[in-house]
């Protein structure tokens, strides 16, 4: 349709080519204002009539093509025959479609008496103010717009305002745009099941105050945007089963006070925030089965809720932890829902959808441990879950640890294993934000140098493993800032020199391993002999490797004069 406002703002338009579309109506006002039009082509559309003297104001028009349209040659189109005869080079091959006795007749060859109107046809058409009665290729009856299995990739245009039921199931629709149904005030049921929907705008269902049924099962929905069901106060049935939803915000159903049936069956939901169903005052049936629920202390409320409201009829069961595997949620005592150690971190933020994420490919997740070891990774996966307490990245081929703020989101991380990689560089502040990090394993890499800035922002670090790297020298500020460090392993490097005071800024150090290094016992290392004698740290008695006269002698046993 070319409506009244379609070409608003383009009064100087000279060339408009809209062939091979599905235009059914051209509004008089939109075309009459185009006084400078030179080329207008509307071939191969679905236009049945044109407003009287539509082209009279286009004095510059030199190309007009309107053939291959199903023109209705009644009294309202008689003007076109005369106009075409006066402009013989324009509108060539324009023919009638109906009535039957004029079918395929050239309009320019007809006379006024050929164009007849009877009864209801006497009134001229009302421009394009009224949309088609039913969208193509759907069928419409008794308020039902039936577009089932029509191969649609989007919600069709020209849905009548009087529609009460919209059937769009079994198509290939991928997205529901903003305010997709806002103008259909009488809609009571929408069925979008068995499509390919993965994206729904936050206000897609706004304005549907009379909607009672919303069917969305069998799609690819992973997330429900905050406020997506806002204002659907009449909704009684909501089917979200057989999707890929992994998280529900606590306020997702806050406006659905009249909901009777809610199905979340067969999704990827691992936990639900306490109070998720509080606003469902009229809920009678709830389907939660075939979701991988983590039955820990944060899901205890759901067991209590289902004991008080026995409405879950699909047999929802626990997936993890192992001690709860396959147990019915509604039949377990509340005391069974426990959190051991750091388990609570994984599901604590369920209602904000900030904590729970699918395990990153190709890693394996068990509890709060994310194991990405031995996967030939060159980078740390971006989507490490926020609940992670231990991250295993050993036995990969990671060459560099970047300072990109990655660890700021891992507030519960206590251990990182990066051993046996290809790491030759750690950017300054790479671990910034991992405030709870206690153990950092960098064994068997290719580090030639370490600085204090590499380990800035990890004040809780207690264990630092740097064994089997390529370090040659330790300066007196290398480990500054690691005041909580208790174990430092520098075993099997290429260290020949250690600057005085290198270990003085680690007051809690209890274990220091310097073995298997080619330490050169010159006067510059005299301080270390004294430090080892006074220190309470377990050191394993590091030995000199040079000069030859002191080879294999424990450093703390070397006389000052030597």
């Amino acid at each position: 349709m070319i409506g009244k406002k379609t070409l608003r703002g383009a009064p100087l338009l000279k060339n408009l080519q809209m062939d091979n579309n599905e235009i059914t109506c051209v509004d008089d006002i939109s075309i009459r204002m185009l006084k400078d039009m030179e080329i207008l082509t509307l071939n191969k559309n679905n236009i049945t009539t044109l407003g009287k003297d539509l082209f009279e104001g286009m004095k510059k028009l030199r190309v007009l093509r309107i053939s291959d349209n199903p023109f209705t040659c009644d009294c309202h189109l008689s003007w076109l025959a005369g106009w075409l005869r006066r402009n013989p080079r324009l509108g060539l091959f324009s023919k009638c479609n109906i009535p039957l006795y004029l079918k395929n007749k050239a309009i320019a060859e007809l006379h006024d008496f050929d164009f007849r109107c009877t009864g209801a046809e006497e009134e001229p058409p009302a421009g394009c103010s009224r949309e088609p009665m039913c969208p193509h290729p759907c069928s419409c009856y008794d308020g039902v717009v039936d577009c089932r299995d029509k191969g649609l990739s989007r919600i069709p245009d020209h849905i009548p305002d009087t529609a009460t039921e919209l059937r769009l199931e079994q198509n290939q629709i991928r997205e529901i745009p903003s305010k997709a149904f806002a103008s259909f005030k009488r809609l009571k049921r929408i069925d979008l099941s068995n499509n390919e929907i993965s994206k729904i705008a936050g206000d897609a269902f706004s304005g549907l105050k009379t909607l009672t049924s919303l069917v969305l099962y069998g799609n690819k929905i992973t997330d429900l945007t905050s406020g997506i069901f806002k204002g659907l106060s009449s909704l009684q049935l909501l089917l979200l089963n057989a999707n890929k939803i992994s998280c529900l915000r606590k306020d997702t159903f806050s406006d659905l006070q009249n909901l009777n049936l809610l199905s979340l069956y067969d999704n990827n939901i691992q936990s639900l925030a306490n109070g998720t169903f509080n606003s469902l005052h009229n809920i009678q049936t709830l389907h939660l089965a075939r979701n991988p629920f983590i039955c820990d202390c944060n899901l205890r409320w759901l067991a209590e809720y289902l004991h008080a409201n026995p409405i879950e009829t699909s047999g929802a069961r626990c997936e993890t932890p192992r001690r709860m595997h396959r147990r019915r949620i509604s039949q377990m005592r509340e005391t069974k829902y426990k959190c051991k150690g750091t388990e609570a971190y994984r599901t604590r933020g369920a209602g904000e959808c900030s904590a729970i994420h699918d395990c990153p490919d190709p890693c394996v997740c068990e509890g709060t441990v994310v194991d990405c070891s031995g996967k030939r990774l060159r980078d740390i996966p971006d989507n490490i879950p926020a609940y992670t307490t231990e991250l295993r990245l050993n036995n990969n081929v990671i060459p560099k640890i970047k300072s990109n703020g990655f660890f700021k989101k891992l507030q519960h991380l206590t251990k990182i294993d990066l051993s046996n990689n290809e790491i030759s560089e750690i950017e300054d502040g790479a671990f910034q934000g991992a405030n709870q990090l206690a153990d950092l394993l960098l064994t068997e890499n290719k580090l030639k140098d370490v600085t204090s800035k590499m380990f800035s922002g990890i004040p809780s670090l207690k264990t630092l493993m740097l064994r089997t790297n390529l370090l040659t020298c330790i300066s007196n500020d290398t480990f500054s800032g690691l005041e909580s460090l208790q174990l430092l392993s520098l075993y099997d490097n290429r260290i020949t020199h250690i600057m005085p005071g290198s270990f003085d800024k680690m007051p809690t150090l209890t274990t220091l391993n310097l073995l298997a290094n080619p330490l050169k016992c010159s006067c510059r290392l005299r301080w270390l002999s004294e430090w080892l004698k006074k220190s309470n740290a377990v050191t394993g008695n590091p030995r000199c490797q040079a000069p030859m006269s002191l080879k294999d002698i424990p450093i703390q046993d070397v006389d000052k004069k030597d």
Side-chain angles (χ1 to χ4, degrees):
M1 177 178 71
I2 302 178
K4 290 181 181 179
K5 300 179 181 179
T6 304
L7 302 174
R8 176 182 287 182
L12 303 180
L13 196 65
K14 295 181 178 181
N15 188 333
L16 179 61
Q17 300 182 41
M18 301 189 73
D19 309 285
N20 296 290
N21 281 287
E22 296 181 6
I23 299 170
T24 58
C25 182
V26 179
D27 193 273
D28 296 5
I29 296 175
S30 66
I31 296 297
R32 290 185 196 281
M33 68 178 183
L34 304 177
K35 306 294 185 182
D36 294 323
M37 183 62 66
E38 296 180 15
I39 300 173
L40 175 61
T41 65
L42 294 163
N43 285 342
K44 296 182 179 180
N45 279 283
N46 294 318
I47 301 169
T48 58
T49 192
L50 295 168
K52 187 176 181 181
D53 299 329
L54 186 63
F55 309 123
E56 285 294 343
M58 298 181 184
K59 304 300 182 183
K60 300 178 182 179
L61 193 64
R62 53 188 175 83
V63 176
L64 174 67
R65 299 191 183 109
I66 55 174
S67 62
D68 292 315
N69 279 287
F71 285 116
T72 299
C73 290
D74 58 13
C75 60
H76 305 301
L77 203 65
S78 60
W79 71 270
L80 183 59
W83 189 89
L84 290 174
R85 286 194 293 272
R86 293 193 301 275
N87 299 276
R89 295 183 179 181
L90 302 178
L92 300 176
F93 313 113
S94 303
K95 297 180 179 181
C96 299
N97 184 54
I98 55 175
L100 190 61
Y101 65 88
L102 293 179
K103 188 174 180 66
N104 292 325
K105 296 284 187 179
I107 295 176
E109 297 176 1
L110 300 177
H111 298 281
D112 287 351
F113 58 78
D114 293 315
F115 296 88
R116 306 170 190 168
C117 285
T118 58
E121 298 170 348
E122 292 292 346
E123 287 296 323
C128 294
S129 60
R130 292 178 295 178
E131 296 181 348
M133 294 301 293
C134 194
H136 178 78
C138 311
S139 59
C140 301
Y141 52 91
D142 298 330
V144 178
V145 180
D146 191 346
C147 306
R148 288 176 292 174
D149 197 16
K150 300 298 183 182
L152 300 176
S153 59
R154 62 182 182 86
I155 296 169
D157 298 324
H158 308 309
I159 296 171
D161 293 343
T162 56
T164 58
E165 182 175 349
L166 185 55
R167 304 201 62 174
L168 289 162
E169 64 262 41
Q170 297 174 312
N171 283 290
Q172 287 86 51
I173 298 171
R174 299 175 182 274
E175 179 181 353
I176 305 178
S178 173
K179 299 181 179 179
F181 311 102
S183 60
F184 312 122
K185 305 300 183 183
R186 301 182 186 181
L187 269 180
K188 292 186 176 181
R189 177 181 172 87
I190 300 175
D191 192 338
L192 284 156
S193 60
N194 293 317
N195 275 275
E196 297 179 10
I197 298 166
S198 60
K199 184 178 180 181
I200 305 177
D203 58 351
F205 304 113
S206 68
L208 299 179
K209 295 181 180 180
T210 62
L211 193 70
T212 58
S213 299
L214 179 58
V215 183
L216 290 164
Y217 70 76
N219 281 287
K220 299 179 180 179
I221 302 167
T222 58
D223 182 46
L224 296 172
T225 307
S226 181
I228 194 169
F229 302 125
K230 185 177 181 180
L232 303 186
S233 56
S234 299
L235 200 65
Q236 297 175 18
L237 181 142
L238 177 58
L239 303 184
L240 293 163
N241 44 303
N243 276 284
K244 298 181 179 181
I245 300 168
S246 59
C247 178
L248 288 174
R249 290 168 179 79
K250 187 175 180 179
D251 62 353
T252 299
F253 310 119
S254 59
D255 282 5
L256 309 185
Q257 296 90 349
N258 290 304
L259 199 67
N260 299 145
L261 191 155
L262 171 62
S263 180
L264 294 163
Y265 182 92
D266 190 18
N267 276 283
N268 294 323
I269 301 168
Q270 294 179 310
S271 193
L272 294 166
N274 190 349
T276 299
F277 306 130
N278 279 359
S279 61
L280 306 182
H281 304 310
N282 290 304
I283 193 72
Q284 297 175 13
T285 305
L286 181 63
H287 294 163
L288 295 173
R290 294 193 64 180
N291 280 287
F293 283 113
I294 301 171
C295 292
D296 59 8
C297 58
N298 293 319
L299 203 68
R300 183 183 299 131
W301 76 271
L302 182 59
E304 296 171 350
Y305 176 85
L306 295 179
H307 288 162
N309 304 276
I311 57 175
E312 207 294 310
T313 60
S314 63
R317 298 175 184 270
C318 302
E319 181 68 21
T320 57
R322 291 178 182 176
R323 64 182 181 273
M324 305 278 275
H325 183 62
R326 301 301 299 161
R327 305 290 293 274
R328 285 279 291 268
I329 294 176
S330 60
Q331 296 179 359
M332 295 283 290
R333 294 198 308 272
E334 292 89 337
T335 54
K336 294 291 185 179
Y337 292 80
K338 302 175 183 178
C339 290
K340 293 184 177 180
T342 58
E343 287 180 347
Y345 294 142
R346 184 172 188 181
T347 56
R348 183 176 293 172
E352 289 76 40
C353 296
S354 59
I356 298 180
H357 297 284
D358 291 334
C359 194
D361 185 58
C363 309
V364 176
C365 299
E366 179 68 31
T368 59
V369 177
V370 178
D371 189 349
C372 306
S373 60
K375 304 299 182 182
R376 302 296 297 171
L377 297 176
R378 292 192 58 81
D379 289 295
I380 301 174
D382 290 331
N383 55 334
I384 300 296
Y387 62 74
T388 305
T389 59
E390 181 177 344
L391 179 56
R392 299 173 184 172
L393 290 161
N394 49 301
N395 301 308
N396 283 295
V397 289
I398 298 171
K400 179 179 181 179
I401 307 299
K402 303 172 185 176
S403 180
N404 54 11
F406 172 80
F407 292 101
K408 290 181 179 180
K409 65 180 181 180
L410 303 179
Q411 294 295 310
H412 308 296
L413 192 64
T414 59
K415 182 177 181 178
I416 308 173
D417 190 346
L418 285 159
S419 58
N420 197 18
N421 273 277
E422 303 287 329
I423 300 170
S424 60
E425 181 183 359
I426 299 175
E427 292 184 355
D428 293 348
F431 302 105
Q432 189 86 34
N435 297 326
Q436 303 301 317
L437 187 63
D439 301 310
L440 178 56
L441 282 59
L442 290 162
T443 301
E444 293 190 61
N445 279 288
K446 297 181 179 180
L447 290 168
K448 293 183 179 180
D449 185 34
V450 290
T451 67
S452 60
K453 292 182 179 180
M454 289 181 182
F455 307 117
S456 63
I458 43 177
S460 302
L461 195 66
K462 293 180 172 59
T463 300
L464 178 57
M465 301 293 291
L466 289 164
R467 61 181 293 166
T468 315
N469 275 278
L470 304 174
L471 304 178
T472 58
C473 181
I474 303 298
S475 70
N476 56 11
D477 67 347
T478 297
F479 303 113
S480 62
L482 300 181
E483 297 180 358
S484 299
L485 199 67
Q486 297 175 3
L487 188 156
L488 173 62
S489 178
L490 297 167
Y491 179 91
D492 189 24
N493 275 275
R494 299 179 182 180
I495 301 170
T496 57
H497 296 90
I498 302 175
M499 298 293 288
S502 292
F503 309 126
D504 290 348
K505 297 176 182 179
M506 296 179 285
T508 60
L509 191 66
T510 57
T511 303
L512 173 64
N513 194 338
L514 291 169
L515 298 177
N517 279 288
L519 292 167
K520 185 177 181 180
C521 292
S522 65
C523 60
R524 295 178 181 177
L525 209 64
R526 182 183 301 152
W527 75 272
L528 183 58
S529 176
E530 296 299 318
W531 186 88
L532 290 170
K533 291 175 184 178
K534 296 177 182 179
S535 175
N536 294 321
V538 176
T539 61
N541 294 325
R543 298 170 181 268
C544 301
Q545 295 300 310
M548 286 299 295
S549 59
L550 297 176
K551 186 175 174 61
D552 293 331
I553 296 177
I555 293 176
Q556 64 189 55
D557 294 341
V558 176
D559 195 275
K560 285 184 180 182
K561 68 179 187 302
D562 296 325

